[in-house]
Amino acid sequence: MTHDVTNQVPPLTGHDVSADAPLAEGLVREGADWATGELRRLGRLAGTARAQEWGRLANEHPPVARTHDRYGHRIDEVEFHPAYHELMAVAVGNGLHASPWTSARPGAHVARVAKFYVWSQVEAGHGCPVSMTYAAVAALRHSPRLRAEWEPLLASRTYDPGLRPPLEKRGVLAGMAMTEKQGGSDVRANTTLAVPLTDGGYALTGHKWFNSAPMCDVFLVLAQAPGGLSCFLLPRVLPDGSRNAMRIMRLKDKLGNRSNASAEVEYDGATAFLVGEEGRGVRTIIEMVNMTRLDCVVGSAAGMRQGLAQALHHARHRAAFGRALADQPLMRVVLADLAVEAEAATTLMMRLAGSTDRAIAGDAGEGLFRRAALAAAKYWVCKRAPVHAAEALECLGGNGYVEESPMPRLFRESPLNGIWEGSGNVAALDLMRVLTREPDAVNAFFAEVALAGDRRVADAAERVLKRLASAGEADARRVAEEMTLALQASLLVRHAPPAVADAFCASRLSGDWGRSFGTLPAGVDLEAVIERAGAGLEPR
């Protein structure tokens, strides 16, 4: 009797991950309530011990590059643990990738975002090729012939891994390769050359410092053509079954995102096909980037929800100093503060998803709103994810800091969406370009904020507008932060319970908030906030 185990928290399993009030309400509000059944089925699977074990194993056994076979032949394969393929099969089978592009149902992109948010809480890394595939279709629409050839395969709900001629497969996945050693986000500094061929294709020669998901079937690549920087579609396997001249040099050893392969690659006369027009590569591929930026917001919101769920579950089941942590006054303030932040991120995520559907359907006003709101949200929501993850981890104490806990993986993952698709400075400067060049987008953004009809929100918007009158590049981060907070406040006032909206406005807008979580001002209805956040975490 030297080792009785008491007061330890059971694993958070057996629950429905989609039982998340802001998510469910947003699904209905943004026109995708028809997907409720699909979302719940996926949410129940996401809450199982089996799915969570897939996530653990996919990170414990990261991908391995196999550049040559045993005889010395170049093969450029990436080998994954079976758990990774289980995760991918569920993601593709549930349409988390490109299926909304071929759906005639209203709210198809909203439904896809909701499911991506739920399944990302199982394991975030495999979401990279899922997101790339989703976004690639937007860029391919600049080339009707390529779109007709590839879109049905990209949108297929059949996960068909392995290197074979793509057009012979039941489904394919897409990756992306933009950045080079010397340029990073400055893609105009790229040196990879694209030489026209007599058959209408191009031969690419050069390198990429980051190739997202190198095991995919096809990639969108930026290279310098005779007419300037251009966008190309580059398949891994050519129609005759031979390997394209894309060489995997090594996989990146990353801080997080371990289950996902990111590679350095070289092209030695690799065959590729022009997407759009020569010299308009950035404008073409930005269609893809804007879609993946939405997924950066989704991934950050999903991480916040996952961290909050773990913190709430731990606090309910762990006792200290004679009572449950969840009943301790200071812990309750921390939990409520984390819940408010997570709900603000989820509500904004769903609004952006709705604007995506409506903009694609031809609503010009929604397109203008999205242009400003997405840049601001990409900056701020992704910036909040690491500090949120750190605080949620601390709620578990030492039990959250050990690798057996899901929290270290969540914490390592949390900075990534802030870096992907343009780091914080890039996103903030993109917003400033919108504000200076597209006045209609600015008007659409602040018209949305004004819908709250709330004095607190109106005052926040007025402060931002005053700042904009003299803002320069050095003010870009502050502008992005304040614009996002005003928009989140407006959305919560309109759509969340008063306890959540009041807590957000009293802290994030008033200045009466400390410099860390757990410093909400007096008068916040902690009980209502925590109850709403914790509903659905019990086993079903």
Side-chain angles (χ1 to χ4, degrees):
M1 300 300 292
T2 60
H3 191 72
D4 289 339
V5 178
T6 61
N7 197 29
Q8 284 287 353
V9 177
L12 176 54
T13 59
H15 63 298
D16 179 356
V17 176
S18 72
D20 173 349
L23 178 70
E25 293 164 8
L27 193 73
V28 174
R29 187 169 60 246
E30 300 296 342
D33 53 323
W34 52 266
T36 298
E38 297 175 30
L39 184 64
R40 287 178 177 167
R41 284 191 293 274
L42 185 62
R44 287 192 289 270
L45 176 60
T48 63
R50 178 170 60 116
Q52 293 177 27
E53 182 69 356
W54 291 339
R56 185 188 71 82
L57 290 171
N59 283 270
E60 293 259 342
H61 304 279
V64 177
R66 303 294 185 195
T67 58
H68 297 76
D69 68 12
R70 61 182 291 199
Y71 304 105
H73 301 118
R74 191 93 204 193
I75 57 172
D76 295 288
E77 295 269 18
V78 182
E79 185 178 282
F80 291 86
H81 189 276
Y84 174 88
H85 294 297
E86 297 281 7
L87 293 165
M88 287 296 299
V90 172
V92 173
N94 280 272
L96 275 60
H97 60 318
S99 59
W101 297 106
T102 57
S103 172
R105 303 193 79 164
H109 292 267
V110 172
R112 181 251 168 201
V113 160
K115 290 189 282 188
F116 191 79
Y117 167 93
V118 164
W119 194 240
S120 292
Q121 293 178 54
V122 174
E123 201 289 310
H126 79 290
C128 175
V130 174
S131 181
M132 297 288 110
T133 303
Y134 168 64
V137 176
L140 287 180
R141 295 193 165 197
H142 287 271
S143 293
R145 181 184 65 80
L146 291 174
R147 174 190 174 185
E149 191 173 324
W150 289 92
E151 188 173 289
L153 285 168
L154 290 166
S156 167
R157 292 199 179 199
T158 300
Y159 176 56
D160 190 3
L163 291 183
R164 300 190 304 283
L167 300 183
E168 296 178 7
K169 298 181 70 173
R170 294 173 297 161
V172 300
L173 297 172
M176 181 169 65
M178 294 201 305
T179 62
E180 299 183 2
K181 296 183 183 76
Q182 72 284 351
S185 295
D186 183 8
V187 295
R188 295 190 185 278
N190 284 7
T191 60
T192 296
L193 289 178
V195 177
L197 302 173
T198 56
D199 63 1
Y202 288 74
L204 270 58
T205 301
H207 79 279
K208 293 297 172 182
W209 190 231
F210 276 93
N211 185 127
S212 297
M215 66 289 175
C216 288
D217 300 282
V218 66
F219 302 89
L220 291 186
V221 179
L222 289 179
Q224 299 286 358
L229 190 65
S230 306
C231 180
F232 296 90
L233 182 143
L234 187 153
R236 285 285 311 278
V237 180
L238 298 174
D240 64 2
S242 63
R243 303 289 173 91
N244 206 353
M246 168 184 159
R247 314 300 188 202
I248 297 176
M249 308 312 291
R250 62 172 177 169
L251 299 186
K252 297 289 192 180
D253 186 6
K254 297 170 292 185
L255 169 68
N257 203 243
R258 299 285 181 84
S259 70
N260 175 47
S262 302
E264 297 170 26
V265 301
E266 291 185 357
Y267 309 124
D268 184 11
T271 300
F273 306 94
L274 183 66
V275 181
E277 302 174 23
E278 278 195 9
R280 297 175 67 85
V282 173
R283 182 164 293 190
T284 300
I285 211 166
I286 202 68
E287 300 289 344
M288 183 179 192
V289 171
N290 279 333
M291 292 299 168
T292 47
R293 281 183 175 176
L294 172 60
D295 279 1
C296 289
V297 175
V298 178
S300 293
M304 290 188 206
R305 175 60 192 177
Q306 182 188 3
L308 171 64
Q310 292 290 341
L312 285 165
H313 177 73
H314 182 88
R316 286 174 170 179
H317 291 86
R318 180 79 168 178
F321 309 110
R323 53 182 168 171
L325 287 175
D327 295 331
Q328 309 271 2
L330 192 52
M331 178 60 83
R332 292 175 66 74
V333 183
V334 172
L335 295 172
D337 215 347
L338 291 171
V340 167
E341 191 75 30
E343 178 153 353
T346 301
T347 304
L348 176 54
M349 171 195 86
M350 294 301 281
R351 177 65 183 92
L352 291 171
S355 73
T356 298
D357 262 309
R358 291 185 282 275
I360 290 171
D363 188 323
E366 285 290 298
L368 289 168
F369 163 75
R370 187 178 183 274
R371 180 74 181 92
L374 181 57
K378 164 63 171 77
Y379 171 80
W380 182 241
V381 175
C382 296
K383 273 280 176 281
R384 297 300 291 161
V387 291
H388 192 280
E391 194 67 56
L393 185 155
E394 189 176 324
C395 289
L396 277 66
N399 285 339
Y401 199 69
V402 297
E403 288 292 342
E404 292 159 307
S405 164
M407 301 308 288
R409 173 155 44 104
L410 175 65
F411 184 63
R412 285 193 297 268
E413 196 75 26
S414 62
L416 184 55
N417 287 304
I419 297 169
W420 258 343
E421 311 305 8
S423 59
N425 283 355
V426 173
L429 290 172
D430 186 34
L431 175 63
M432 293 302 288
R433 281 189 287 273
V434 175
L435 298 178
T436 55
R437 300 176 188 177
E438 302 181 46
D440 289 343
V442 181
N443 293 338
F445 180 92
F446 284 100
E448 173 77 18
V449 172
L451 292 175
D454 183 277
R455 185 71 259 164
R456 299 163 298 181
V457 177
D459 289 345
E462 186 176 347
R463 288 194 296 271
V464 182
L465 288 167
K466 286 181 179 178
R467 186 180 298 282
L468 285 177
S470 59
E473 281 194 6
D475 305 299
R477 284 178 171 238
R478 188 66 178 268
V479 168
E481 174 182 333
E482 292 182 354
M483 285 181 64
T484 310
L485 290 173
L487 177 56
Q488 287 179 317
S490 174
L491 291 169
L492 292 177
V493 166
R494 284 179 278 156
H495 306 307
V500 176
D502 291 346
F504 188 92
C505 293
S507 53
R508 276 68 168 174
L509 298 187
S510 71
D512 187 18
W513 191 43
R515 293 177 175 83
S516 65
F517 286 102
T519 55
L520 288 171
V524 170
D525 188 347
L526 301 177
E527 182 66 27
V529 173
I530 293 171
E531 277 199 18
R532 176 174 169 84
L537 293 183
E538 295 305 317
R540 300 228 164 187

